[in-house]
Amino acid sequence: MGIVNVTPDSFSDGSSHFSADEATQHALDLIAQGADMLDIGGESTRPGADAVSEEEELRRIIPVIRNLRDCGKPLSVDTFKPAVMQAALQAGADLINDIYALRMPGALDVVAAHPDCGVCLMHMQGEPKTMQTAPTYENVTDEVYRFLDERKQALISVGVSDSRICLDPGYGFGKTAQQNYQLLREQDRLSGLHSPLLIGLSRKSMIAAVTGRAPRERVAGSIAGALAAVNRGAAIIRVHDVAETADALKVWAAVEQGEINGS
């Protein structure tokens, strides 16, 4: 999953492709590099991020969705606002990627009313503005498991098919570096939820915690994290650096699964 941030303030690539035309071209470049799907976001959810109005978020992402809806790849929209979800799905989006796991009033109803869309439910302790202020768990993996299970069951209870749901443990969202790495070590326990896992740790501060690198210098560390996640059951890897990650996954597949193409 290639990341397309249509924002001026994302922690890693804010303002790099802020206009609709720039974001569209960036997305097409990611597809050429090997992205299987795209995740379009119009509001930064980095720690301490300021909120964006519904109108501004729509202004940023709807033209990009319309530009890309015939690109041949599934389009995910990273939003927690029900009105934005509704407009994005009407514009041609295929999946809602919600950091609040559809806890905002009306969000469940939007997804339930669109029987063909996918949805990703993510764990987050707190909210982006304050989530990194002393996050506390008795056992992070147990609590993430219980939360994702509860949210999945809430979605199923309103008629959403299990086959439409994927889950994200929320690396970096209300978790210390130590908690993130415990969760990654124990990620295979989440297979008990019986849903595909979507993992996003590309360029995050958990990478800096062990490398000391600035966001754009975290490619190698992010790839190492991605491979660790795949080894522990990840089905989708959400990344900034598509070409490099795709190459790493091809080598991993050749070793672990014997998948060698063209030779």
Side-chain angles (χ1 to χ4, degrees), residues 217-239:
E217 299 172 346
R218 298 174 191 168
V219 181
S222 298
I223 290 172
L227 293 177
V230 171
N231 271 323
R232 291 161 174 80
I236 304 168
I237 301 294
R238 182 181 182 274
V239 301

Side-chain angles (χ1 to χ4, degrees), residues 9-62:
D9 58 345
S10 292
F11 79 96
S12 177
D13 57 357
S15 78
S16 295
H17 29 81
F18 184 41
S19 75
D21 287 345
E22 290 168 332
T24 300
Q25 185 57 57
H26 178 64
L28 295 174
D29 291 344
L30 294 181
I31 292 172
Q33 293 170 22
D36 299 300
M37 59 196 307
L38 300 168
D39 192 41
I40 302 164
E43 178 173 4
S44 175
T45 53
R46 62 179 171 78
D50 292 325
V52 171
S53 71
E54 180 181 295
E55 293 75 14
E56 176 62 15
E57 188 175 353
L58 288 169
R59 186 191 68 78
R60 293 175 182 182
I61 68 168
I62 295 300

Side-chain angles (χ1 to χ4, degrees), residues 60-78:
R60 293 175 182 182
I61 68 168
I62 295 300
V64 180
I65 296 169
R66 290 174 176 159
N67 288 346
L68 293 169
R69 60 188 170 191
D70 296 321
C71 72
K73 301 294 183 182
L75 302 181
S76 166
V77 173
D78 183 357

Side-chain angles (χ1 to χ4, degrees), residues 154-165:
L155 201 51
I156 291 172
S157 73
V158 295
V160 175
S161 168
D162 188 9
S163 64
R164 295 167 54 191
I165 302 170

Side-chain angles (χ1 to χ4, degrees), residues 112-134:
H114 289 79
D116 295 324
C117 80
V119 60
C120 181
L121 305 172
M122 195 195 79
H123 174 275
M124 174 175 59
Q125 187 179 96
E127 59 183 14
K129 189 74 175 177
T130 59
M131 64 188 176
Q132 290 306 105
T133 304

Side-chain angles (χ1 to χ4, degrees), residues 122-123 168-175 179-187 190 198-201 204 206 229 232:
M122 195 195 79
H123 174 275
D168 181 350
Y171 292 108
F173 283 81
K175 300 170 185 72
Q179 291 159 355
N180 281 316
Y181 280 104
Q182 177 187 341
L183 184 58
L184 183 54
R185 281 193 305 275
E186 300 173 354
Q187 181 186 283
L190 302 180
L198 187 157
I199 301 302
L201 44 73
K204 287 186 175 178
M206 64 181 288
R232 291 161 174 80

